Amino acid sequence: MKIYTKTGDKGQTSLIGGRVFKDDVRVEAYGTIDEANSFVGKAVTELDAEKFADILADLEAIQHELFDAGGDLANVSSRREWKLDPKAVEQLEKRIDELMEEAPELERFILPGGSPAAATLHIARTVTRRAERQTVALAKLDAELPGTPQQYLNRLSDYLFACARVVNARQGISDVEYIRSAKVFRTNKKSKDE
């Protein structure tokens, strides 16, 4: 089987139910989701299987959910069926809460970095934010597009932030604080004496 078809040589690509130019906002949105998914996959290769079993399970599920989200954005057929389950958003919220309980207290903005895996997760986070912005632009043009992909991307970027912080913490690596930041976050964690 050849992977090249030559059908895109004139700048168009196939969607589910149609064709558009490769610079179409729809292609930009699902293409950026694919890019984020690639960075999630890179982070998976940088994590120890024993120390990060829970996070690796999350990331594997996320990769499938990102594929679902991309498929939903690529669907322009007359009978659209959506793949991304809204329960995926709720699951991310649950995991964000759990990870933020584990992460060290946060008072200032932090810079992307620390361990290689945390740095990759921060790249995935920023690419996810770009995918979210592009999905917002697409939603303005496609009133039938469900809100789930946009909500999922919004929540996923928060998950990746929390995840990067926990990855650093479990490896004994401090987050890099932005040195010119004032204290912008208030801690909600109770002291150990309470």
Side-chain angles (χ1 to χ4, degrees):
M1 175 181 143
K2 292 183 179 181
I3 64 165
Y4 58 89
T5 63
K6 301 184 183 180
T7 59
D9 288 353
K10 293 185 178 177
Q12 288 193 328
T13 191
S14 293
L15 302 173
I16 302 168
R19 285 183 68 77
V20 294
F21 282 99
K22 292 182 179 183
D23 63 352
D24 188 273
V25 66
R26 184 177 304 278
V27 179
E28 286 291 337
Y30 74 70
T32 306
I33 289 173
D34 187 36
E35 187 180 345
N37 204 343
S38 296
F39 280 111
V40 171
K42 184 175 186 306
V44 166
T45 69
E46 297 168 338
L47 293 169
D48 176 83
E50 289 183 28
K51 189 180 286 186
F52 298 106
D54 60 329
I55 288 173
L56 287 168
D58 290 346
L59 296 178
E60 181 179 343
I62 285 165
Q63 287 197 281
H64 290 279
E65 291 158 357
L66 283 170
F67 215 89
D68 290 343
D72 285 350
L73 298 190
N75 192 338
V76 295
S77 65
S78 57
R79 295 184 188 159
R80 297 200 240 186
E81 293 182 16
W82 310 116
K83 290 185 175 184
L84 185 60
D85 189 334
K87 291 179 182 174
V89 176
E90 295 171 17
Q91 179 60 25
L92 281 178
E93 291 171 352
K94 177 179 180 256
R95 288 296 291 143
I96 292 165
D97 292 343
E98 292 169 358
L99 291 171
M100 288 305 289
E101 279 297 314
E102 181 181 348
E105 290 185 8
L106 181 65
E107 293 183 334
R108 293 179 171 83
F109 290 119
I110 62 168
L111 302 177
S115 68
T120 300
L121 289 164
H122 278 295
I123 295 170
R125 172 183 60 80
T126 59
V127 173
T128 298
R129 282 289 187 207
R130 178 159 37 96
E132 179 190 4
R133 293 190 300 271
Q134 292 167 337
T135 301
V136 168
L138 176 59
K140 291 177 182 177
L141 304 174
D142 183 353
E144 293 179 20
L145 193 69
T148 304
Q150 183 177 319
Q151 293 164 0
Y152 181 84
L153 293 169
N154 187 23
R155 219 65 86 246
L156 178 59
S157 60
D158 293 334
Y159 168 87
L160 292 167
F161 176 81
C163 188
R165 297 197 65 235
V166 168
V167 164
N168 277 340
R170 288 188 193 176
Q171 295 180 90
I173 299 172
S174 297
D175 288 319
V176 181
E177 288 188 343
Y178 172 49
I179 60 173
R180 286 180 276 286
S181 176
K183 289 185 179 181
V184 292
F185 300 105
R186 292 192 177 122
T187 180
N188 290 329
K189 291 185 179 181
K190 295 179 180 178
S191 71
K192 293 178 182 176
D193 297 333
E194 289 182 30

